[in-house]
Amino acid sequence: MTTLSSPDATSAPAVGGPALPQEIRLRTEVPGPLSRELAARRVAAVSAAVGSSMPFYAAVAGGGVVVDVDGNSYADLGSGIAVTTVGNADPAVVAAVGEQVGRFTHTCFMITPYDSYVAVAERLNALTPGDFPKRTALFSTGAEAVENAVKVARAFTGRQAVVVFDHAYHGRTNLTMAMTAKNMPYKNGFGPFAPEVYRAPLSYPFRDGLDGPTAAARAIATIEKQVGAANLAAVVVEPVQGEGGFIVPAPGFLPAIAAWARENGVVFVADEVQTGIARTGAVFASHLEGIEPDLVTIAKGVAGGLPLAAVTGRAEILDAPVVGGLGGTYGGNPAACAAALATLDAVEHEDLPARARQLEGVLLRRLHALAAVDPRVGDVRGRGAMVAVELVRPGTTEPDAALAKRVAADAARRGVIVLTCGTDGNVLRFLPPLSIPDALLEEAFDVLDDVFATDRPTAR
Ligand SMILES: *Cc1c(COP(=O)(O)O)cnc(C)c1O
């Protein structure tokens, strides 16, 4: 059988990274013949429960493009869900990983420790908000980081309850399914879920119209009535909600929740798995809120595409479990740590937060221009290179999930990768790699403008 991972001469180059031509270029229909062949093999081999948003198969990627096995080049506005923030196949990441895997691929930090794990911990301790003694523990996935944040909060407080918010997404493991709000597809049929997880109302300015302090008072009243601070180990919140719809809480909401947690001996956990590592225009979104979380969970963008996750926070909390209480076979894998150090170098030395703020300017300009002519764009929101539009039926706040789905599918056929999200599935989210050239981003939005125009109702 021919191998499809090495495309023929008429299709994609063999090496990714920013040197790839930064263009939207379609050579076949989408999906092309090689992608269709893989799709047929997949049906017979891969669990049908694993979905893919895009109908084409990747061959190489870099800068702001993903090139498929048929040689079609797409503008990437998704970064593999906010992971390739530094760029796909970033040369510094590739070099660091290559150097590391040539020396050793794995020893298990719990057996024979190594320096890069310690160095990543030092870097994250310095980069997270708050000038207090910190510690870090490394894992492989975001859900694992969230689980471990809950574990250390329980060990530290001697309490069991955990509060999360409406629209929250924290992962797909048993505990994090309980913490995630949305049933379909994340939880449906997968219960029973972990106990002692309680849900409080979020601040959702587009839908509740409340200012931040009022929304926080509502959440705190719910927590005090339904849980009781004395039973509560941790409050876990995404500073900007990711899968839940890129909801930015009203100003003052997060500081009020954090202050209440502090006063009540409750561990305040910022789940920055999606918002962290320069994505929102600061190294962590907590910086933009002026909050100093007791614990921060980190994953996605931290290691340029390699699986690495972390819990970073107050030394006394992370040191609370018994020795050996935290860990995992692969946690802090050396190749992932090498990738993280190269990524964090770029965050600091190439000022990636500033690049995210530049991209915010382009994204908001294009999306506000779209909202001005399209009555189905109900809200434009987000921070840095984490921006979204919420789509509604004109003149209402009624969610229009079908439109989000249609736009994402048409955009893919026209050479643009764009993702949907939201509890109602009616949010289009934009998460370009920070390495995307401005010209390509503008070109992608020209395509999106066209895609929106095809069935636009006339009057606002
Ligand atoms: C993606 C995500 C997770 C889960 O991360 P995985 O690596 O998929 O386990 C947790 N929290 C937030 C906010 C996320 O966006």
Side-chain angles (χ1 to χ4, degrees):
M1 179 164 289
T2 53
T3 162
L4 295 174
S5 59
S6 50
D8 64 47
T10 62
S11 57
V15 175
L20 280 178
Q22 296 296 302
E23 59 186 11
I24 296 172
R25 181 195 65 220
L26 298 180
R27 288 182 165 165
T28 70
E29 71 281 14
V30 175
L34 294 177
S35 279
R36 291 201 302 271
E37 194 183 316
L38 278 166
R41 279 170 52 197
R42 171 197 180 129
V43 168
V46 178
S47 163
V50 180
S52 295
S53 308
M54 296 297 131
F56 47 84
Y57 284 70
V60 290
V65 300
V66 173
V67 181
D68 75 9
V69 289
D70 292 290
N72 300 307
S73 176
Y74 305 83
D76 181 11
L77 305 189
S79 301
I81 320 186
V83 169
T84 53
T85 304
V86 72
N88 218 319
D90 173 72
V93 169
V94 171
V97 171
E99 191 280 331
Q100 174 59 52
V101 298
R103 284 192 293 126
F104 62 93
T105 49
H106 174 84
T107 57
C108 189
F109 192 76
M110 301 184 302
I111 305 297
T112 309
Y114 36 87
D115 64 343
S116 56
Y117 187 119
V118 179
V120 169
E122 289 168 345
R123 298 286 287 275
L124 294 178
N125 293 348
L127 284 168
T128 46
D131 188 16
F132 41 77
K134 290 182 203 150
R135 302 284 186 270
T136 285
L138 298 181
F139 306 96
S140 303
T141 69
E144 242 190 312
V146 172
E147 290 237 2
N148 280 280
V150 171
K151 282 164 67 171
V152 298
R154 285 174 170 161
F156 176 72
T157 59
R159 305 171 181 175
Q160 295 187 347
V162 177
V163 160
V164 291
F165 289 85
D166 288 336
H167 308 285
Y169 182 87
H170 297 294
R172 295 172 180 267
T173 58
N174 187 264
L175 174 59
T176 58
M177 275 195 295
M179 297 170 70
T180 288
K182 190 174 175 176
N183 174 51
M184 197 65 91
Y186 306 123
K187 304 166 75 163
N188 192 54
F190 296 152
F193 303 111
E196 289 302 317
V197 176
Y198 300 88
R199 198 166 304 283
L202 182 76
S203 164
Y204 191 165
F206 177 62
R207 295 194 174 273
D208 65 23
L210 298 179
D211 64 42
T214 307
R218 177 179 68 171
I220 289 164
T222 301
I223 297 168
E224 286 180 338
K225 270 185 245 156
Q226 298 185 15
V227 189
N231 301 309
L232 186 55
V235 170
V236 184
V237 63
E238 300 155 82
V240 176
Q241 280 197 330
E243 308 304 300
F246 280 29
I247 303 162
V248 186
F253 177 79
L254 290 171
I257 301 286
W260 178 86
R262 180 74 32 83
E263 285 155 21
N264 289 279
V266 173
V267 175
F268 181 86
V269 183
D271 182 353
E272 295 238 24
V273 166
Q274 191 154 162
T275 50
I277 316 297
R279 178 51 60 184
T280 61
V283 180
F284 290 97
S286 293
H287 286 115
L288 300 169
E289 295 282 347
I291 54 175
E292 295 181 352
D294 298 312
L295 301 177
V296 181
T297 54
I298 301 163
K300 292 198 166 96
V302 73
L306 275 81
L308 188 74
V311 182
T312 297
R314 289 186 186 276
E316 64 273 24
I317 302 177
L318 270 146
D319 286 343
V322 295
V323 175
L326 302 181
T329 307
Y330 291 111
N333 169 271
C337 284
L341 293 172
T343 301
L344 295 173
D345 280 346
V347 168
E348 292 186 76
H349 305 146
E350 295 164 31
D351 200 355
L352 290 190
R355 176 63 185 146
R357 293 192 296 273
Q358 278 174 358
L359 289 174
E360 175 185 301
V362 177
L363 292 166
L364 291 182
R365 171 171 53 74
R366 296 298 301 243
L367 292 170
H368 281 300
L370 177 66
V373 298
D374 199 310
R376 300 167 299 178
V377 177
D379 194 23
V380 178
R381 58 179 180 247
R383 289 193 147 144
M386 182 174 182
V387 168
V389 287
E390 178 158 356
L391 303 178
V392 294
R393 300 201 192 285
T396 74
T397 57
E398 204 186 308
D400 190 348
L403 176 62
K405 205 173 161 192
R406 201 273 295 165
V407 167
D410 285 355
R413 278 191 286 274
R414 299 274 307 268
V416 178
I417 298 172
V418 55
L419 312 179
T420 63
C421 66
T423 303
D424 294 303
N426 65 323
V427 177
L428 275 181
R429 57 170 153 176
F430 303 95
L431 289 162
L434 302 183
S435 53
I436 194 170
D438 286 12
L440 180 63
L441 186 58
E442 300 277 5
E443 194 186 344
F445 272 92
D446 293 344
V447 170
L448 283 166
D449 282 344
D450 267 9
V451 166
F452 267 95
T454 55
D455 61 357
R456 175 177 298 145
T458 44
R460 172 134 208 136

